[in-house]
Amino acid sequence: QVQLVESGGGLVQAGDSLTLSCAASGGTFGSYPMAWFRQAPGTEREFVASIIFSGYVTNYADFAKGRFAISRDNAKSTGYLRMNSLKPEDTAVYYCAVDETYNGANSAWYRYWGQGTQVTISS
């Protein structure tokens, strides 16, 4: 029922910033937790950050703390991931995920996924 579309990926230089967007349709986005994951070639999908419906509770992977910021605008049914001080190791396909209640770091427990957006960081 819930459909997600990521956008905002691209090619940037190390040290630059980039903001990803996740547009949601269907369901009740404003009541659903949301998360971002990423997957580099040859690796498993990796948790980046999550946020509950109110926005008051957020969680970040260690590599994202202090550099990335997850946020949401429920009126626009859109989630965001602001990435600062980007490094070449941040290169990956970034995915948005939504579940009715889960907001943890286990990708297998999210029910709805977007198609992903490619982020490439050059050194």
Side-chain angles (χ1 to χ4, degrees):
Q1 185 176 10
V2 177
Q3 295 175 309
L4 306 173
V5 179
E6 301 96 335
S7 62
L11 173 63
V12 298
Q13 299 291 323
D16 285 351
S17 298
L18 198 62
T19 298
L20 306 182
S21 297
C22 175
S25 61
T28 309
F29 176 78
S31 299
Y32 295 167
M34 184 194 73
W36 288 93
F37 291 80
R38 69 184 188 183
Q39 187 167 17
T43 70
E44 295 187 351
R45 193 160 297 185
E46 180 182 35
F47 173 76
V48 177
S50 65
I51 185 170
I52 65 170
F53 66 89
S54 69
Y56 290 148
V57 178
T58 57
N59 293 289
Y60 294 92
D62 287 342
F63 68 82
K65 293 177 180 176
R67 294 196 300 126
F68 294 3
I70 187 171
S71 63
R72 64 193 299 164
D73 187 335
N74 292 337
K76 298 179 180 179
S77 296
T78 302
Y80 305 94
L81 182 68
R82 177 66 174 177
M83 303 185 291
N84 299 313
S85 301
L86 285 165
K87 308 172 182 179
E89 50 263 46
D90 294 320
T91 295
V93 177
Y94 284 72
Y95 298 89
C96 177
V98 165
D99 192 80
E100 285 87 352
T101 183
Y102 184 70
N103 71 323
N106 191 335
S107 63
W109 293 356
Y110 285 88
R111 184 171 300 185
Y112 307 103
W113 293 84
Q115 83 289 344
T117 184
Q118 177 70 50
V119 173
T120 303
I121 315 301
S122 62
S123 59

